[in-house]
Amino acid sequence: MVTNSSVLRMVFRNAEDKNVTITLDNPRPDVTGTEIEAVMDLIIARNVITSSGGDLVAKQDIRIIDSTTNDLYDPAP
C-alpha cells in the first residue's frame, strides 16, 4: 500500500540563537510562502510560543516536505 503525506516545517530562532521547529501535518495544498511568513511574523509579534531558550525572535526557514511510503509487507494477524 502506498501512502502520501505532507508536513509544513517552520523554523524559528529563539533568544538564545537556537533553532525551534514547529511542524504541521497536511498543510493546505495551495498555501503560499507569503501566507506562512505572515503567520510566522504574527507568532513572533504576539509572543504566543516560547521555548526553553526564550522567546522566538526571528524566522529561520520554511519547508513543505512531501513523502511517499510504500508498505511492502504486513505480517498476518
Side-chain angles (χ1 to χ4, degrees):
M1 172 185 223
V2 176
T3 56
N4 297 308
S5 63
S6 183
V7 173
L8 167 60
R9 182 181 296 168
M10 298 176 288
V11 182
F12 297 85
R13 297 296 279 177
N14 66 16
E16 290 185 351
D17 202 33
K18 296 184 180 174
N19 287 346
V20 175
T21 303
I22 298 172
T23 59
L24 299 171
D25 292 336
N26 303 313
R28 205 179 71 225
D30 62 343
V31 69
T32 67
T34 303
E35 290 174 313
I36 298 166
E37 281 191 73
V39 168
M40 291 176 79
D41 288 337
L42 193 60
I43 288 170
I44 293 167
R46 294 202 177 163
N47 200 26
V48 295
I49 296 173
T50 190
S51 69
S52 60
D55 296 340
L56 305 182
V57 296
K59 298 177 297 224
Q60 182 68 23
D61 192 29
I62 302 169
R63 293 179 186 217
I64 293 180
I65 303 165
D66 296 313
S67 64
T68 302
T69 303
N70 191 354
D71 189 4
L72 300 176
Y73 173 77
D74 285 319

